[in-house]
Amino acid sequence: MTSIPVDMKAGSQTMRRALPQSLVAWLFLAPAAVIFAVVLIYPMTYSAWLSLFQWDGVSPNKVWVGVENYVELFTANRVFWIALKNNVFWSLLSLVIPTGIGLGLALLLNTAFRGSSFFRSVFYFPAILSMSIVGLIWSWMYHPTLGLINQSLAAIGLTGLENNWLSDPSIALYSVFVAATWHNAGLPMLLFLAGLQTIPKEVMEASRIDGATRLQSFWFVTFPMLRETTMVVVAITAINSLKVYDIIYVMTYGGPANRTQVLGTWMYFLTYNHNEVGLGTAIAVILFGLTLFFAIPYTRHMVRN
Amino acid sequence: MTASVAPLPDVTVRAPRLAVGSYVFYIAIAVAALIWSSPLFILFFTALKSANDFAQNGTFSLPQTIELSNFAKAWDVGIRTYFMNSLVLTLIKVPTGVFICSLAAFALAKMRLRGARAIFTIFVLGLVVPMQMTLVPLTTLYQHLGLIDSLPGLFFLYLGFGLPLGILILRGYFRSIPDEMIEAAFIDGCSWWDVYWRIVIPVSKPAIVSLLILDGISTWNEFILAQIFIRTQANRTLPLGVVQFSTEFSTAYELLAAGQIITIMPLILLYLFFQRYFVHGMAGAIK
C-alpha cells in the first residue's frame, strides 16, 4: 500500500484503463434513467402533444386542433373556471392556515418542557396518513347525524350551527379544507422546528436581555432567521396544494354540482369519465405550468445545496 | 440549509427554557392535542363498539364492550386482499427503489460525469410534477404492454415516481462522505462497485433507513396511480380498497372504522418504532 496521497479523480485514472469513468457512471445511472424516462419524461412530453388534439382516448384517429382545447377551457368550460378558482383559493388558504398552525406549533413545541416530544408526535401523526384515509375519517366527522361535529354542536346546545358540511355547496370546499389542514399542518411544523434548531440560543437570549418582549424577539430575531425555512415551506405548500386531488375525490367527488372541483379532479373526470382526453391533458399542462412557477426556484435552491 | 440527512439536534437539550411553566400552558396544549387527535379517538372507539352499541349510544360514548371481532370481520370481507397487495408491493418496491436510487445517487455524487448537475436537476424536477401530467400516455402505454390492472405494472410506476426523492436524499448524504475514504479504497485496489457496495452503502445507513421509511410510507399511502391503473377488486391496494370498502359497507360503521384502523396500523407501528429516523429523513429530504 502506498502512502502517497492521491487525488480521487487522478487516482481513478488507473481505472480508465479498465473502463472510462463516465461509462461506469452511466452504468450506475442506467436503471434510474431508463425508468425515469419511461415513467416521467416520455409521458410528460406526450401529454403536452396530446393536448393539441381532440381525442376520445379510444378511437385510432386523433384530430389535430392546435391550441383550441386551451381556448375552449378558458372561454367555454365553466367547470374549468370553478376548478381554477378553487385551486388558487385553496393554495392561498394553504399558505396561511396550515402553515400558520405549523409555525405556531413549532414555536410552542420548541420550548423545553416535560412531554414536548410526545406532543410533537401527537400533532405530527396525521401528516403520515394517506389523504384517502384522512378523507374517509373526516367524511365520518362531517356525517350530518352521526358525525362528531354535529353531535358536538348539539351537545353544547348549538343546534343552529349544525350543517350538511359536505353537501352544502357554499361550505363544502371549506369543510374539505379543514380536513386537509389536519393532514397538512404537520410538515410545516416539522420544518419550522428544524429551522428553529439552527438559530443559536445566544441570539435569542441577547435579544431578551436587551429588553425585547417575546413578540418583538420573534418578529425581529426569530422570524428573519427562519427566512430560508419559510421559503422552503412556502414552495412546498404551494406545490402540494396545487396538486390537491385525493382528498377531494374521496370526500366530495368534486360535488355538490362541481363546487369543489379542482384542476386535478376535473382533469380526471374529463379524461376518464367524459372521454375528453385532449381537454384533460390540456388541464394537466396548465396545472404543470402553475406548479413550475413555484418549482423552478425551489428546485434551483435544492440543486444549489 | 443543506440537502443532507444530518440528524436533528435533540430539541430538549438546547431549546429555550419554558417560561410559561404553568398549569395553564399544560392544560391548553393538552386540550389542543386532544382536539387534534379526536378524529382518531372516535375512529378507535367506533371500531371497538358493537353495531347495537353504536346505534344506541352514538359516536360520543365509550364502547360498552370491546368488540375485537370487528377487526376480524373487516379483514375477512375484503381488507385482507387489499392489505396483502399493499404489503407485498411495499416490501418489494421499497428496497428495489432505494437500491436503484442509491446507484444513481452514487454516480451523481461521487463520479466524474459531464452534465451530472443537469441530470440531477431533471430528476429533482420529477418531485414536483403533477401525476395528471403523465396519466394518459401511461395508460396507453400500459394498455399496449398488457400491464393495466396488474400489481407488477403498478410496481414500475411506483419505482419511477419514487426516484426523485430517493436520489435527492441519498445524493446529499453521499456528498458528505469524505473523498479521502474513497481514495484510500482505490489505493487498496477497489473497483467503483467495491467502493459503492463496501464503503458508501455501509456508512450511509442512517440515510438509507430514513429513506426506506419515507418511501415505505408514501408507497403504502399512494392513491392516484392505483386508482387509475387497477381495475379489479382482487388487485386493489389498501388506500384504494378502503375507499371502496367504505362505499360497500356504508352503514356498517364499526366495520368501516375497523377497516380504517387496520389500514393505518402499520403506520402507527412504524411511527412508534422509527420516529427518530423518520423525522431526520423528512427534515433532510425537504431542506
Side-chain angles (χ1 to χ4, degrees):
Chain A
M1 211 175 95
T2 168
S3 61
I4 302 167
V6 183
D7 171 65
M8 181 195 58
K9 275 151 192 164
S12 59
Q13 278 178 354
T14 48
M15 297 296 299
R16 194 171 280 173
R17 258 174 274 132
L19 271 177
Q21 194 181 128
S22 61
L23 182 63
V24 181
W26 272 108
L27 287 175
F28 275 81
L29 265 177
V34 170
I35 296 171
F36 197 77
V38 175
V39 172
L40 273 122
I41 309 270
Y42 149 76
M44 286 173 63
T45 328
Y46 194 42
S47 268
W49 177 242
L50 277 177
S51 74
L52 305 174
F53 290 87
Q54 189 180 52
W55 185 39
D56 62 8
V58 192
S59 80
N61 51 324
K62 310 178 178 77
V63 183
W64 170 266
V65 293
V67 294
E68 227 170 80
N69 286 325
Y70 295 90
V71 174
E72 185 180 334
L73 285 175
F74 280 105
T75 56
N77 197 303
R78 193 183 56 85
V79 182
F80 171 77
W81 278 106
I82 300 179
L84 184 62
K85 223 176 63 197
N86 283 343
N87 252 116
V88 171
F89 179 68
W90 182 280
S91 299
L92 291 177
L93 221 51
S94 298
L95 287 171
V96 180
I97 295 174
T99 314
I101 294 176
L103 177 61
L105 286 171
L107 288 169
L108 207 61
L109 296 169
N110 190 44
T111 47
F113 62 91
R114 231 174 230 287
S116 58
S117 74
F118 167 77
F119 284 112
R120 280 200 295 273
S121 294
V122 168
F123 286 109
Y124 185 66
F125 184 73
I128 71 169
L129 302 178
S130 78
M131 273 298 202
S132 71
I133 276 286
V134 172
L136 289 177
I137 293 176
W138 278 82
S139 299
W140 169 247
M141 298 281 288
Y142 285 128
H143 192 289
T145 53
L146 302 164
L148 178 71
I149 294 180
N150 276 356
Q151 289 203 353
S152 304
L153 289 171
I156 54 174
L158 293 172
T159 37
L161 292 178
E162 286 180 43
N163 219 318
N164 280 328
W165 301 101
L166 293 175
S167 51
D168 180 342
S170 59
I171 55 168
L173 192 67
Y174 297 96
S175 304
V176 180
F177 184 81
V178 169
T181 299
W182 188 62
H183 175 276
N184 287 341
L187 185 58
M189 179 190 97
L190 197 68
L191 294 175
F192 280 125
L193 267 173
L196 285 170
Q197 289 302 299
T198 64
I199 300 176
K201 205 170 102 188
E202 295 72 32
V203 178
M204 310 277 289
E205 277 172 0
S207 78
R208 299 304 301 276
I209 290 166
D210 288 350
T213 63
R214 286 201 147 252
L215 194 66
Q216 281 172 331
S217 92
F218 169 73
W219 189 249
F220 293 110
V221 181
T222 314
F223 196 62
M225 294 188 84
L226 280 178
R227 221 183 62 172
E228 210 175 346
T229 310
T230 309
M231 275 162 35
V232 171
V233 171
V234 165
I236 294 175
T237 306
I239 293 166
N240 285 345
S241 55
L242 284 171
K243 293 203 270 187
V244 53
Y245 173 84
D246 3 12
I247 195 157
I248 304 256
Y249 182 89
V250 170
M251 291 185 77
T252 61
Y253 206 65
N258 288 321
R259 289 295 287 273
T260 59
Q261 213 67 260
V262 288
L263 293 178
T265 50
W266 189 230
M267 183 274 170
Y268 172 83
F269 290 121
L270 273 181
T271 308
Y272 292 94
N273 292 5
H274 302 272
N275 297 328
E276 292 274 14
V277 175
L279 286 179
T281 45
I283 292 183
V285 172
I286 293 167
L287 182 59
F288 181 56
L290 288 174
T291 318
L292 270 189
F293 183 76
F294 297 95
I296 288 175
Y298 171 65
T299 311
R300 282 178 60 178
H301 167 84
M302 297 215 291
V303 172
R304 243 197 349 260
N305 284 323
Chain B
M1 280 193 273
T2 61
S4 76
V5 197
L8 204 63
D10 188 348
V11 177
T12 42
V13 175
R14 48 186 293 281
R17 188 106 32 82
L18 180 66
V20 234
S22 62
Y23 292 115
V24 181
F25 174 80
Y26 267 106
I27 292 169
I29 200 160
V31 169
L34 206 64
I35 294 174
W36 195 254
S37 334
S38 59
L40 292 170
F41 283 125
I42 293 299
L43 195 65
F44 268 104
F45 289 158
T46 308
L48 293 173
K49 285 178 185 176
S50 68
N52 264 344
D53 180 2
F54 184 81
Q56 282 166 15
N57 302 315
T59 313
F60 260 131
S61 65
L62 289 170
Q64 306 281 309
T65 52
I66 305 289
E67 296 286 332
L68 290 174
S69 62
N70 290 336
F71 292 99
K73 239 180 284 171
W75 181 256
D76 283 338
V77 292
I79 294 292
R80 182 219 310 263
T81 312
Y82 314 141
F83 191 94
M84 285 312 189
N85 287 342
S86 274
L87 191 67
V88 170
L89 199 55
T90 305
L91 289 181
I92 297 176
K93 186 269 156 177
V94 175
T96 316
V98 172
F99 175 61
I100 291 174
C101 289
S102 71
L103 289 174
F106 176 64
L108 292 172
K110 291 294 179 197
M111 288 180 176
R112 200 168 35 193
L113 175 68
R114 277 170 71 100
R117 207 186 170 85
I119 297 169
F120 177 60
T121 309
I122 293 172
F123 275 123
V124 173
L125 265 177
L127 206 54
V128 298
V129 171
M131 234 41 127
Q132 280 79 2
M133 193 62 189
T134 62
L135 294 181
V136 174
L138 283 175
T139 313
T140 319
L141 179 70
Y142 265 35
Q143 268 156 358
H144 282 299
L145 298 173
L147 286 173
I148 296 279
D149 195 29
S150 94
L151 289 171
L154 208 52
F155 164 83
F156 282 108
L157 298 181
Y158 286 0
L159 272 189
F161 284 99
L163 290 170
L165 185 65
I167 291 176
L168 179 70
I169 291 182
L170 293 179
R171 175 182 174 271
Y173 196 88
F174 292 169
R175 274 161 69 96
S176 70
I177 298 172
D179 283 346
E180 290 76 21
M181 274 173 83
I182 294 171
E183 289 161 27
F186 277 124
I187 295 166
D188 288 350
C190 284
S191 65
W192 277 108
W193 173 262
D194 295 331
V195 171
Y196 161 79
W197 187 246
R198 290 163 57 180
I199 296 174
V200 169
I201 291 298
V203 303
S204 304
K205 232 162 57 192
I208 289 173
V209 175
S210 294
L211 181 59
L212 285 171
I213 293 166
L214 282 185
D215 198 40
I217 290 173
S218 56
T219 307
W220 190 258
N221 284 342
E222 203 288 326
F223 181 78
I224 307 183
L225 292 169
Q227 185 210 1
I228 304 277
F229 291 95
I230 295 301
R231 303 282 160 84
T232 57
Q233 201 244 350
N235 286 327
R236 277 181 201 139
T237 59
L238 204 36
L240 181 64
V242 80
V243 171
Q244 191 56 39
F245 187 81
S246 291
T247 324
E248 280 167 31
F249 297 91
S250 57
T251 51
Y253 300 102
E254 70 292 348
L255 283 192
L256 297 186
Q260 288 170 28
I261 299 280
I262 296 174
T263 307
I264 63 179
M265 197 44 93
L267 296 174
I268 296 178
L269 294 178
L270 203 68
Y271 193 63
L272 290 179
F273 286 122
F274 294 105
Q275 206 192 102
R276 196 167 52 97
Y277 279 108
F278 180 69
V279 170
H280 296 169
M282 199 51 129
I286 308 296
K287 283 198 291 171

